Structure formats: structure tokens, C-alpha cells
Amino acid sequence: MISSRAAFLRSFTRAMHGPRSIGATLREALLGYGLVMPSALIFLVFYYAPAAFLAYISFFHWNLFVNGNQFVGLRNFEILANQPLFWRSLFNTAYYVVVLVPTTTLLALAFALLLREMPNLRSGGLSRALIFLPHVTPVVATSIIWVWIFNPNFGLANAILGFLHLPQLNWLQSVTWALPSVMIYTLWHSVGLYTVLFLAGLASIPKNVLEAASVDGGHGWFAFRRVVWPMLGPVTFFVIVLVSVNTIQTFSQIYTLTGGPSSLAGGPAFATTTDSLLIYQTAFLYQHFSLASAMSLVLFVLTLALTLIQKLLADRIVFYR
Amino acid sequence: MAVVGPSGCGKSTLLRIISGLERATSGSVLIDGSVVDSLAAYQRNVGMVFQNYALYPHMTVFANLAFGLQAQRVPHADIRRRVAEVADLLELSGMLDKRPGTLSGGQRQRVALGRALVRNPRCFLMDEPLSNLDALLRDRMRVELRTLHERVRIPTVYVTHDQSEAMTLADRVIVMRDGELIQAGRPQDVYEHPLTVFVAQFLGSPPMSVVQVRLSQHHGGWAVVPFSSDAAAQDACRLPAEAAARLLPLSGPEGQLWLGIRPEDIIIGDPVAHGLDLTAVCEMVEHLGNRVQVHMRWDSQRLVALTQGNPSWPRDAVLHATLPWHAVSWFDHLGRRVPRADDQGVSLGLRNGEA
Amino acid sequence: MRAPLTLILRAVIGMAWIFPVYWLIVVATGARGSAYSIPPVFVPLFHFLPVASVLAHTHLLQHVLNSVIVTTSTIVLVLFTGALGGYALSEVRFPGRSLYFLLALGVMMLPQQALMVPQYVVLYHLRMLNTYAAMIIPFATSTSSIFLFRQFFMRLPTSYRDIASVEGVSTARYLWRVALPLARPAVAATVLLTFISSWNMFQWPLVMISSKSIQPLEVSLTFYMQAFEGHWRQLASVALLALLPVIGVFALTQRYIVSAVAGGELAQKE
């Protein structure tokens, strides 16, 4: 009797040292590689390879259609440094980013505070949708409307200025106002996204914290300053990073609002020539690929540095909050 | 066969190894006497039932039952016939078009069983199948499971942390702890002849009372004293000579041993001839309807006894309890069973190893 | 802040933000010259004749078709690669899995503008310039879809996968019949996000596509901006055609699209 039971149990898990099944592990690994292959290939071929290639072509005198690439070291960067237009484009880009980051962030925050769930009010769902809609619209299609709005003669912008008894502007045709006009469009187009991000941040603040603040007599500005604002820290930093990364790379609206396929884009008088626009024109209008690559590398490093600095800063500040 | 043990002891892992979902680092798995190590999970032809049933919520009951068969390219007519058979057996026929979300817990449980059954498996593997049900339903499903098992006679490995489920459902019980098999055997055998203190205290409700004692010299013989006590040995606690001879070499450096007794074996009141008579202090008397559970303290050690009748001892009453020698399980100072006369002829499982 | 004031402010801002889009509809379907009238006419007249005539007299339909081809193929492919990648990340153990995770995450850090030139060179060497493939293949996967699917697959109980292996259900079948249907929100979010980015794509085709016949609608609009300069009604009609599908989808899935887009952005945060 004992032996039969024991035999059964031994058949159950027999103590016998066998090798770990390599076959199954290998099969699972192969399955994994098969599954990630399509996306990994796309990432590598169309994104990582170009990123690596970028550094390479910036140090060569290089042309797509002519053989014989010549190593020129920092020569491309030297040319750039002596190009007033390159410096102008950097300045325009910086101007564009420096104005848009705070205005977009503050406006989005204000909208979010206005649209958030309030105890005695229906949520601002419809308004939120209306503000958000522009963000998903195609840039060229909506640029067409804004070209009309900015039209000096019969556009809405000047109609409003006239209504307010303010001097009329030339908007997109004015050296001073062209870039700000693009900024207004960008603000209109993108603020909805950041508003929604702030709304998500506001929604994640525990209700009892807010209630505790109002019980303590905190109302309005005080409650915001002491309770809401500190808790929005992470979202705010995230929004700032996102706005800067997005604005530093703006291309489409500048291209369409300031002239489109005609070589006028970036005007008037290069007032709206930002880095990405200059890269586009240098490479695809004038076929100076090496020079465009050198500019791209500058933009690449700037953007990445901006992202990293802000991420580091955000981690520290959010951590020590 | 039921596998029982406290949570985290490796019961579920054992089941996953048998099913082929996980690989053992060593050893091999045999089903029906043949090695299945090299077979993938589905080739082993086992039917599994999970604690959460794992029914696909977006499929109807029929689709859930048929999914595995479809994957095996079983002809449609066969699928329909087999699902109908199983649905009939489990009384699911009326709900084949419903989704699992609309079914009750017991019905879902039956669908999960049906899904395992429909493939005609060589064995069933069930992982805590009843623990998601409420107590009342659990009792009913337990009966249903037992009936089903008697009708289909498919070998079943049933994993549970609930010892009473294991005791009532299984032909054989395996007790596990920390990934090790401690004891295996018929439920009654394991219950009456626990191999270690752990098994003794794990099975049964209330479990076996296990107290630590010391052997102390007494009038040329040996007597049993509570381990913590310095009190002199008494006549009543005298150990029969042959038992003393057997136990002495197994006791620890200070003469310590473990003494186990099933609550129903303790006799309160009238002393019997061959037993350990002790004086205990009553702590609490619980009336459970058909029986009475008495919590006592013997020196600082706890004992639980089950008696009949309607005793009304007050707290701190002094009780005379007798532990008949034939019912006492002895464990050496490391918690291993000291063989008893009636252990002969009973399989106590694989090993008599360390606890 | 008091409730009525808040409500009024909400309404004013909402109306202000939607006005340009509304105005486009007014001009496109209004009377001739409504763009010039001062004070402006604010009521749409729903004359669809100009829209129809624009469609009849230009190659616009071809561009619409191009956009539809590109967008639908991209959506299908992104669903495919995203579900596979997400499944690999959540369910399959293989050496290099965390590397793949970083690969997918890192793509979002790369500044797209700076890559345009080398990407052009890569497409040139792959003989992909000026093809539909140029607008589809590089966008046939996305980090957000991979992570969305990963997130949803991780929520499925492991016993689902276990029972499938015990029953001999293949990975492909399990993915298609069980995992994908149960990750329907991820599918929906991926479709919406891909639709928006693919339909709105502008700079990429502007650079990579020179042949007019396969240009998507967005790029062709810049051509019409010049051709119809001063013809506001026609111009607005063309823009309206590019805008309508987006507005339509948005109107139907408003609540959903907002959280999908915001969620896609928030995915980066981790």
C-alpha cells in the first residue's frame, strides 16, 4: 500500500534533476522579437538612424545627388556662424518661444480654473470642447481663416481694433507684428490642449484637501496660492516643457501664414524666419543639405537640452515641494 | 486529490507546473504514468479552473465553452454536440447565449467547470475554485463538485487553502508548506496521524491542540510536565514505562517534547484508566449547538476540548481532563512525529523528514 | 467667483475660440462677397453651390482621396504594430524587452524638426520619396499606441492567457479574439489619435512628396491659397472640406477625443 501511494506521488513530481527547458524560453524570446519587430524597425530606420546620420552629414560637405562627400570638420558650423540670417532665425525662434511659453501656460491655467468642476455649477464641458477643437484642426485649413482675420483691410482683427478705437495694424505684413500674429494663431490653436492637461491636474487634487482649505477660511486667491498652485506643480512643469518643445519646432503655421509655397515664407524681411523654417528652405529650396544638417544639429541639441534641463528642474522642484 | 497549505506555500505554482504553464527547475511531471515535460500546456490535455474563473466577458457562455475546441480545429458539429452535452450535465443549457457578466457566481463557476470538461481532459486542475463564492454557495458547490467528480471520474488536483474543503472533497490530501510537501495520504489518515506539528495544527476545526511538555523524573519513572512549569511532577501525569523508553531518546536537551491531542479525544470529568490526567483552568465555554467547545489552560499552555451536553463551568473553574494515551500524538523536540502503535499499516506519505 | 459671472465667461471664451471655424462656414456657404462686408454678416446661408463648384473644377477630389488612403492605411497599421508591441511589453518575456521600452519612449524625445533632413536622405535611399509609402510607413507605429495597448493588456487577468495556453489557443488567436476586444478603449483612442495626426499631417508630405497627384489635401491647400488668392468664398470652401471630417469626428466623439489626446500627451510624462 505504501509503495503504491509513494509511486503515485513520485509520478506527481519526481525528484530528478533535468535541464531547464531551453526550448520554451527560446520560443518565448522569438515570439517577443517577432511582435516588436515591426515597430522597432520603423523606430530604428525612420527615427534613430536619421538622428545618428544627422551628426555625420553635418561634418561633411555633402550633397544628395553628387558623389564624393568631403569631410570638412566644423566648416559648416563656421559658415553658419558667419550667416546673419542664421542668427536672425535663432533670435526669432527664441522670441517666439520666450513669449509663447508663459502666455500659453498662464492662459491655459486661467481657462482650466474657469472651466473646472465647481460644486454648484455644471461642468464646463461644452466650452472645454470648443476651446479644444482648434487643436485637432489641420493647420493649413484654419490658417486660411486667420489670413482673413489678419487682413489689414477687411479682417476681423482690425475691425476689433477699430471698435476699440485703437490704431489699425498691418499684422502679417508688418515686420513688427508678423511674428506676434503667428503667436496669436498658435495660442488659439494649442491652448485647448494645455487647458485640458491643467484640468486633469486640477481633477487629481483630492476633494478633501480643497474642502479643508475652504473650512480654514481659505477662499479665492488664498486657497489658490496655498493649496491649488503647489499641487499643480508637476502638471505646470509638464506643460511648460511641452509648450517649449512644441513652439521651438513650429513650422506649419509660419509657413502658411507668411507666404506658403512662394519663397516669401518667413517674411516680411525675414521677420518670421525661425530655425525650422530656415532649415526647410536651406535644404529643400536651395538644396544645401550639409548646411541644413548643421542647423538641424543645433536645433536638435537645443531642444534636447531644453527638455532635459526642464525635466531635471521639474524633478527637483516637484520633489522638494 | 487535494493540495492544501497556507497561502504562499507553492500550491498554485505546483498546479502551474503540472499544467505546463511554468517549467520546473528540476524534476519531471507525469500524467497517467507518462512524462509530459516536453509537451506544451495544451498538449497535456488538462482542464483548468481558476479562482477568478477566467471567463472571457465579451463572449457568450457558448463561445467560452467552444473557444478551446475551435482553436483545436474541432469540426463545428462536434463542438456543438460536446458543448450541448456538457451544458446538459451542468444544467447550463438555458444560458448558452448569455454573457458571463449576467450570471451568478455559482453559474459562472459551472461554466468554468464546463469549459474544462468540454475538452475531455485527462485530469482536472482546480486552483481555489470555490474561494470567490460566499459561504452558503460554497457549501452547495462543494457538494456539486463532489457529485460531478463521482459522475465523470476524472482525476482532479484541487488546490485550496481551506483545510475543511480538502478534507471533505478529497480522496487523498497533500499538505504543503514553504514549497515542500509535508504529508500525503487519505484525509482521515492525515488527520489522525499528522507527521508534523504543522500538519497537526493545520488540519481540523478546531485544530489539534499541541502543547510543549517536558519529561521529568518521578518516583523512579517519568512524568509529563508542562514545559514552562517548574512544578514537581505528579502521580497522575506518570508516563507508562514503555512510552517513556521510546520518548526519552527523542526529547530535546531539556527533555522537551510536543504533545498533540484532538479536541474530541479529550475527556473532561471522569478519568479513564490509560491516560494523562491533568488539572486545567477553564477559560471559556462556547456552545456551538450540537457540541461544546471548551478552552482551557494547562499551566500556561492552551488546550481545546469538544464535549457534549450542557456544561456550565464558570471562568477559572478547575477542570479535570484526561488525555487517553492511545489518542495522544507525540512529536519530538523538532516537531516530527513519534510513531505510534496504530501508525503501522497506514501510509503516512513520502517522507518522515524534518519539519 | 460667483456662478453667473463664471458661466458668462465660459460662454464668451467658448464662442471666441470657435468663432474662426464658424466664420469659415459662413464665408464658404454665404453670399458672394460676404467676406468683405462691414459690418460682417454672421448668419450662414448654407449655399453649398460654391463648395460643389470648387469640387467640380479642381483636382480636389483626388487630394481628398489621397488623404483618405493615407489616413486609413496608417490607422490599420498603427493598430497592428501597436497591439503587437503592447502585447510583447506586457505579456512576453524576452531579453531586450526594456531596451525596446526605452526605444519606444525615446522616439518622443527626438525633435522631429531637426530630423527632417536626414529622414529625407533615408527615404531617398529607400526609393520611397514621392510614394504613398513615404506618408504611411514611417507613421505606421506610435509610442502612444504601444503604451496604450500595454496598459490595457496588463489589466487583463493572467488567468485569461493561462486558460488560453492550456486550451491550445495560439498567441495570434488570443490577441485577436480575446485581448483586442477587451482593449476596445485602447483601439478607439489609437484610431482617433492616428486619424488626427495623419489627416492633419502637413510638413512631412510637403517635403517628401513632390508629385501633385499623390499630395494629400492639407498640402494641396497651400496651392489653392495662391490660386484662389482674393477669392475668399472658394478658398473657404476648400478649407472647409479639409476641416469637415475632423469637426465631424470631433462632434461625435468629443468627450473621448479630448481625453485620448490629453492622455496621449500625458503618457510621455512617465
Side-chain angles (χ1 to χ4, degrees), chain B residues 24 47 75 84 96 99 147 160 178 183 213 220-221 223 230 291 293 296 307 326 333 343 347:
Chain B
L96 285 177
R99 277 168 211 269
T147 333
T160 177
D178 297 335
Q183 188 173 4
V213 297
D230 297 327
R291 63 218 162 114
Q293 196 166 317
M296 302 179 289
T307 62
H326 66 86
H333 67 286
D343 281 8
S347 160

Side-chain angles (χ1 to χ4, degrees), chain A residues 7 9 15 24 36 38 53 60 100 102 119 128 130 132 147 158 163 172 207 229 238 245 249 274 278 289 292:
Chain A
L9 284 164
V36 303
F53 191 47
F60 278 79
L100 270 181
R128 186 189 65 167
L130 295 181
F132 189 82
V147 169
N158 270 349
F163 180 76
L172 288 164
K207 281 226 160 46
W229 178 238
F238 177 63
V245 171
Q249 300 191 68
T274 56
L278 192 60
F289 276 88

Side-chain angles (χ1 to χ4, degrees), chain A residues 2 14 63 66 78 80 87 89 95 98 108 162 169 175 179 187 201 208 269 291 315 317:
Chain A
I2 290 176
R14 187 162 63 188
N63 194 309
V66 184
E78 216 178 295
L80 276 191
W87 291 108
S89 80
Y95 177 34
V98 165
L169 296 174
V175 176
L179 201 52
L187 202 57
N208 53 359
L291 220 51
D315 284 348
I317 291 183

Side-chain angles (χ1 to χ4, degrees), chain B residues 129-309:
Chain B
L130 299 184
S131 58
N132 263 9
L133 301 174
D134 60 56
L136 222 82
L137 206 52
R138 192 153 47 206
D139 285 345
R140 226 183 66 207
M141 282 311 292
R142 199 155 70 184
V143 177
E144 278 187 34
L145 270 180
R146 186 76 228 185
T147 333
L148 179 72
H149 181 71
E150 264 144 33
R151 286 177 68 180
V152 297
R153 303 283 345 153
I154 293 173
T156 304
V157 180
Y158 184 102
V159 159
T160 177
H161 67 273
D162 181 346
Q163 56 84 24
S164 64
E165 251 172 44
M167 298 296 286
T168 49
L169 275 174
D171 303 319
R172 267 164 299 193
V173 174
I174 285 180
V175 184
M176 287 185 71
R177 183 195 195 184
D178 297 335
E180 294 217 18
L181 190 153
I182 306 292
Q183 188 173 4
R186 292 195 302 128
Q188 200 56 35
D189 290 346
V190 177
Y191 182 79
E192 284 170 4
H193 311 275
L195 266 182
T196 69
V197 170
F198 166 74
V199 176
Q201 290 183 321
F202 192 74
L203 293 184
S205 167
M208 184 180 269
S209 298
V210 180
V211 293
Q212 198 174 20
V213 297
R214 180 162 56 89
L215 293 186
S216 159
Q217 267 186 310
H218 181 67
H219 298 308
W222 294 87
V224 180
V225 186
F227 182 67
S228 46
S229 160
D230 297 327
Q234 292 163 330
D235 266 350
C237 298
R238 200 185 174 93
L239 201 58
E242 60 78 29
R246 211 153 39 85
L247 291 171
L248 256 180
L250 295 169
S251 59
E254 291 169 64
Q256 67 266 49
L257 280 170
W258 296 95
L259 180 156
I261 182 81
R262 288 282 167 200
E264 57 270 28
D265 291 331
I266 298 181
I267 300 162
I268 299 178
D270 36 24
V272 289
H274 293 286
L276 170 65
D277 289 320
L278 51 86
T279 321
V281 177
C282 176
E283 282 202 315
M284 198 197 339
V285 177
E286 287 178 306
H287 292 266
L288 301 175
N290 57 345
R291 63 218 162 114
V292 181
Q293 196 166 317
V294 185
H295 296 261
M296 302 179 289
R297 222 175 46 229
W298 179 37
D299 196 62
S300 64
Q301 314 237 28
R302 277 161 205 287
L303 283 173
V304 177
L306 283 178
T307 62
Q308 305 283 330

Side-chain angles (χ1 to χ4, degrees), chain B residues 62-114:
Chain B
F62 179 87
N64 265 291
L65 293 175
F67 191 55
L69 297 177
Q70 286 163 351
Q72 298 300 304
R73 311 212 177 282
V74 176
H76 280 293
D78 283 1
I79 294 180
R80 225 165 294 136
R81 185 175 47 77
R82 276 159 73 174
V83 170
E85 277 171 21
V86 168
D88 208 36
L89 182 70
L90 294 168
E91 294 165 33
L92 289 169
S93 304
M95 45 190 103
L96 285 177
D97 294 330
K98 291 188 179 168
R99 277 168 211 269
T102 62
L103 302 182
S104 72
Q107 289 167 331
R108 278 183 230 180
Q109 173 69 66
R110 290 213 296 272
V111 177
L113 276 172

